[in-house]
Amino acid sequence: MKKIKASYVLTACLVALLIVISGCGKNTASSETSSNGYPKMTIKLSHVVAEDDPKGKMATKFKEIVEKKSEGSITVKVYPNGQLYGDENEIQALQSNNVQIIAPQTTKLAGFDESMELFDIPFLFKDEDVLYKFEDSDAGQDLLKKLEGDGIKGLAFWPNGFKHITNSEREIKEPSDLKGLKIRTHGGEILNDSYKQFGAASTKIAFNDVYQALQLGTIDGQENNLTNIKSQSYDEVQKYLSLTNHTRTEYGLVANKKWWDGLNDKTQKLVSEAVDAATKKGRELAKKESDEALKEIEAAGKMKVHELTEEEHEKFVEALKPVIDKWSKKMDSEIIQRILDMQK
Ligand code: LMR
């Protein structure tokens, strides 16, 4: 009798173990899986901007969905403002799995594949419709996949806005007005080339150090989207804003690939759905929030805002033509061609 009981218990244990293993499908990030099939785990998501910027709001949306649908099994901790990791160390932290998801401006990922810099090709995207069409296309998705060899899983592109130039010296109406100025960028060769065309110097400074550099006068100006200009209070330390719309801030929402591969199918599906919902929200917000930020900057009246005339805009296009030509050829020409075809 005793013997029968022992083999019964052993069989039951084996069956239970098989159920747990098959439920997981793959290794999960946690040894413990809840009865609802999600692992008990914490996902850390770090970014460098304010919580109420479009990126901050997308991160919050992602957190809400994951936590709600996993019924609390998964906790998402969002660290804004570079409080956990900044530009200088977030990619390394991701590769070491000290943080599972980050959302840097795509050029910050160009060390892995130079095509990630393509959002800095001047005037490449004429509006959000073309941009989002590209991001959703096979070409856009192929671009995200280019990071996989380096242990990075591209989850999505997250939007923000077109970039503009602020400075403390003079009003910028045409390219020659930039001559001799030192401008902060988020880095990358395309922007270096662009500022060279203007006779200006560009320098890369970590995002969370920009306000101080502007305040100290280490740099004369910077380029950024309107929500960042607003939320970082650059109007306290800059006198002029020119609406140049010359390039775009887009983010690569990326995860540690080994961590991602270790998630069970159900969890991957939940994370993907939450990413899609957050991206959708971001697209609804991005343009609206850029417009609102501009209104608030204008209403505050601290910076003189200049909107380029059609003629002034053409001068920028003309000045940047060599950069556009050089980089459109140097980059993955198939991707560039597919974007150009979408503009037609
Ligand atoms: C910057 O470095 O200027 C931006 O990319 C920061 C951000 O994440 O919006």
Side-chain angles (χ1 to χ4, degrees):
M1 185 70 178
K2 253 187 175 179
K3 258 187 179 173
I4 295 167
K5 253 192 179 168
S7 64
Y8 172 78
V9 170
L10 189 66
T11 312
C13 283
L14 276 171
V15 169
L17 190 67
L18 278 172
I19 289 169
V20 169
I21 291 171
S22 64
C24 291
K26 295 173 191 170
N27 291 331
T28 61
S30 158
S31 49
E32 228 187 306
T33 302
S34 306
S35 54
N36 62 15
Y38 294 114
K40 283 196 187 303
M41 68 170 177
T42 298
I43 301 175
K44 289 189 200 163
L45 192 167
S46 168
H47 65 85
V48 297
V49 303
E51 263 177 307
D52 59 355
D53 269 357
K55 181 158 59 179
K57 289 182 182 165
M58 287 185 272
T60 305
K61 179 85 182 168
F62 171 77
K63 171 186 167 71
E64 283 167 4
I65 295 176
V66 170
E67 290 185 349
K68 186 163 178 239
K69 292 208 173 158
S70 72
E71 296 158 326
S73 298
I74 305 175
T75 303
V76 179
K77 284 200 171 161
V78 179
Y79 299 88
N81 291 312
Q83 60 183 231
L84 187 62
Y85 298 108
D87 284 345
E88 58 293 341
N89 54 7
E90 66 177 358
I91 292 174
Q92 201 187 351
L94 182 83
Q95 288 187 303
S96 316
N97 200 30
N98 290 332
V99 58
Q100 287 69 50
I101 303 180
I102 58 173
Q105 199 282 338
T106 52
T107 296
K108 295 176 188 173
L109 295 162
F112 301 113
D113 191 291
E114 71 172 7
S115 306
M116 293 305 288
E117 225 178 303
L118 69 80
F119 297 95
D120 284 336
I121 296 181
F123 308 111
L124 180 61
F125 296 97
K126 76 170 172 15
D127 56 28
E128 273 91 359
D129 288 348
V130 177
L131 177 78
Y132 299 154
K133 196 167 158 194
F134 162 69
E135 291 177 352
D136 293 341
S137 70
D138 290 349
Q141 294 305 305
D142 287 350
L143 182 56
L144 278 178
K145 285 193 196 123
K146 282 174 183 253
L147 302 169
E148 290 193 0
D150 292 288
I152 296 176
K153 163 83 185 165
L155 297 174
F157 290 107
W158 271 5
N160 192 326
F162 287 95
K163 283 191 283 171
H164 312 283
I165 302 173
T166 67
N167 87 101
S168 54
E169 291 299 311
R170 60 186 89 103
E171 208 169 3
I172 307 293
K173 292 186 170 175
E174 47 183 84
S176 60
D177 294 328
L178 279 151
K179 203 166 178 199
L181 297 185
K182 194 168 178 189
I183 304 291
R184 179 269 172 184
T185 72
H186 54 229
E189 288 188 55
I190 302 181
L191 292 177
N192 280 346
D193 282 354
S194 299
Y195 283 94
K196 266 190 210 146
Q197 286 300 119
F198 304 143
S202 63
T203 181
K204 174 179 163 181
I205 296 177
F207 180 69
N208 300 111
D209 297 333
V210 176
Y211 182 93
Q212 203 185 14
L214 293 170
Q215 191 176 38
L216 293 174
T218 334
I219 44 175
D220 300 307
Q222 63 83 46
E223 56 154 65
N224 227 307
N225 57 74
L226 290 160
T227 58
N228 279 346
I229 292 173
K230 163 78 190 41
S231 64
Q232 300 299 309
S233 306
Y234 290 156
D235 62 354
E236 292 174 359
V237 284
Q238 296 277 266
K239 290 193 191 130
Y240 305 101
L241 164 62
S242 264
L243 302 175
T244 48
N245 283 296
H246 59 292
T247 61
R248 177 86 195 174
T249 303
E250 286 298 288
Y251 304 115
L253 183 74
V254 291
N256 176 295
K257 186 163 184 309
K258 210 164 166 193
W259 166 80
W260 170 263
D261 290 342
L263 300 176
N264 65 36
D265 293 341
K266 189 172 177 181
T267 309
Q268 283 188 351
K269 188 165 174 282
L270 169 60
V271 171
S272 299
E273 281 169 8
V275 166
D276 289 348
T279 308
K280 187 167 174 276
K281 182 184 173 84
R283 289 181 181 185
E284 283 157 16
L285 285 179
K287 170 123 180 41
K288 195 170 142 267
E289 300 225 340
S290 284
D291 294 346
E292 278 168 18
L294 179 59
K295 277 193 197 132
E296 285 176 45
I297 291 167
E298 284 174 327
K302 294 188 204 149
M303 263 188 314
K304 189 164 185 206
V305 180
H306 178 70
E307 191 165 351
L308 299 187
T309 62
E310 192 51 42
E311 205 182 309
E312 287 165 349
H313 164 76
E314 282 312 319
K315 285 188 186 170
F316 273 90
V317 175
E318 193 54 35
L320 291 171
K321 202 165 177 308
V323 181
I324 300 171
D325 290 348
K326 173 180 165 186
W327 284 95
S328 301
K329 285 189 196 113
K330 204 165 179 278
M331 289 252 161
D332 186 327
S333 52
E334 204 191 310
I335 294 187
I336 302 290
Q337 195 49 52
R338 283 158 87 177
I339 296 169
L340 295 176
D341 290 346
M342 287 175 198
Q343 321 257 21
K344 285 172 190 162

